[in-house]
Amino acid sequence: MTYWMPLSVNPCPSDHSEQIFCFGNLTTVACRITDCNRIRSVEAEYDNNTAIAKCVALNDTHFRILLFHGESQKDIVVVIQKISGCNLIFEEEYHAIMNAARYGEIAPRETPTPEDFKKNTLDEQSNSGGIPLEHNILEKSLVSEKSCVHYDRRDIHIMAIGDSLPTNPAPLS
């Protein structure tokens, strides 16, 4: 296995204003991201010269990861941009990569086994009443979500990683 080992990173462009700081250096962050992608079966092509990773997750969900330095060379900014594919899968990968980069914690993908499908089918058969839902709740949820999605824009998530904790840490969203 080859690790992502960027030689250097450029300053973060001014249009990336939201930043979250945590511990780490360039090599550590890049290796954590590589491990996360490997464990979660995300295909990735790493460019060590530009500090960009082009990734493909489940259901042909494409995104890229860019690394920059923040205000100092010790601060690493991680930018994840969705290019195409499923929003839900992108969100799962985004959170997994950010947890790996920030904390070194890598959560493997949860894949159901054939036994899980059999169990769910049996549970559904034995629970004929099911959970009561409000009439048209699923349709209402889809309409609500559709109004929040901007199809003409890419999803961008940013995190900065530094060598020290900030005085006012920003929450992950």
Side-chain angles (χ1 to χ4, degrees), residues 51-64:
I52 296 175
K54 296 176 184 174
C55 306
V56 182
L58 290 178
N59 291 351
D60 210 26
T61 301
H62 292 255
F63 59 95
R64 65 181 168 190

Side-chain angles (χ1 to χ4, degrees), residues 37-147:
N37 283 339
R38 179 183 50 80
I39 289 169
R40 295 180 61 81
S41 300
V42 173
E43 294 179 33
E45 181 181 308
Y46 302 105
D47 188 329
N48 292 327
N49 295 320
T50 61
I52 296 175
K54 296 176 184 174
C55 306
V56 182
L58 290 178
N59 291 351
D60 210 26
T61 301
H62 292 255
F63 59 95
R64 65 181 168 190
I65 305 167
L66 301 90
L67 301 179
F68 299 101
H69 70 76
E71 293 179 12
S72 74
Q73 290 286 351
K74 295 180 181 182
D75 300 331
I76 301 300
V77 178
V78 178
V79 176
I80 303 176
Q81 298 174 326
K82 178 178 170 250
I83 297 171
S84 64
C86 177
N87 288 334
L88 294 175
I89 291 173
F90 173 73
E91 286 296 320
E92 285 179 12
E93 296 309 327
Y94 162 76
H95 289 292
I97 291 167
M98 289 303 184
N99 280 334
R102 190 170 189 201
Y103 305 112
E105 297 174 0
I106 301 172
R109 179 177 306 288
E110 293 182 21
T111 44
T113 63
E115 290 78 27
D116 292 332
F117 289 117
K118 289 178 187 174
K119 181 182 175 198
N120 287 341
T121 303
L122 293 174
D123 288 345
E124 288 171 7
Q125 291 172 357
S126 65
N127 185 10
S128 59
I131 300 171
L133 295 176
E134 178 185 332
H135 179 69
N136 291 335
I137 189 69
L138 296 177
E139 290 83 0
K140 290 176 186 176
S141 295
L142 287 173
V143 170
S144 173
E145 287 298 318
K146 187 176 179 182
S147 67

